[in-house]
Amino acid sequence: MGSEESSRVVVPRNFRLLEELERGEKGIGDGTVSYGMDDADDLYMQSWTGTIIGPPNTVHEGRIYQLKLFCGKDYPDNPPSVMFQTRINMSCVNHETGVVEPRLFPMLSDWQREYTMEDILMQLKKDMMSPQNRKLTQPPEGNEDARVDQKGIVLRCCIL
């Protein structure tokens, strides 16, 4: 009668984002990745902040990386835009802007609706451990330059 595709329930965008927010607030796995809303008053739940603690036995070890994720009105059907606020040298990140380039990051280029912001952060952390990224020379810590987000606001991140 009905195919498996027709019986699949599509969770509305805001319910999906509320689920992600709840999961992010509870903490994820071993605590080396976290995320949450940037602005509690953002009714559209578009602007998010993520954190990745650099994995051990890599040049990223002991570093804390801040990211911005922007979920447009078509999320989760389309991926969020992802930008490192903290300067980082990775093969999928634009060195000037900090933007994670979808064409260089398969999770974004081959986006599936089931993927989450947690999945993106975990994959970025995994990519930090990959042979092409684990030994790349990194910008000095504490020398964070301002980056401009999509709204044109200058953002600074300092690690104390």
Side-chain angles (χ1 to χ4, degrees), residues 4 16 99:
E4 183 179 313
R16 165 69 179 271
V99 170

Side-chain angles (χ1 to χ4, degrees), residues 22-77:
E22 183 178 345
R23 183 159 168 80
E25 287 176 341
K26 287 181 179 176
I28 303 164
D30 62 4
T32 60
V33 171
S34 64
Y35 65 96
M37 284 191 57
D38 215 13
D39 177 5
D41 294 330
D42 179 3
L43 297 177
Y44 295 107
M45 302 178 77
Q46 296 182 100
S47 188
W48 296 71
T49 301
T51 303
I52 301 172
I53 296 175
N57 304 316
T58 69
V59 294
H60 307 285
E61 184 171 10
R63 290 183 175 222
I64 300 172
Y65 295 98
Q66 298 290 325
L67 299 91
K68 293 289 181 186
L69 298 100
F70 186 82
C71 299
K73 293 190 188 319
D74 56 356
Y75 179 85
D77 293 320

Side-chain angles (χ1 to χ4, degrees), residues 83-99:
M83 180 174 83
F84 275 86
Q85 292 302 117
T86 309
R87 293 220 174 263
I88 187 169
N89 189 9
M90 279 181 72
S91 59
C92 63
V93 177
N94 180 303
H95 302 293
E96 296 299 316
T97 64
V99 170

Side-chain angles (χ1 to χ4, degrees), residues 93-109:
V93 177
N94 180 303
H95 302 293
E96 296 299 316
T97 64
V99 170
V100 177
E101 301 284 354
R103 64 184 172 78
L104 300 174
F105 189 62
M107 179 169 273
L108 295 180
S109 63

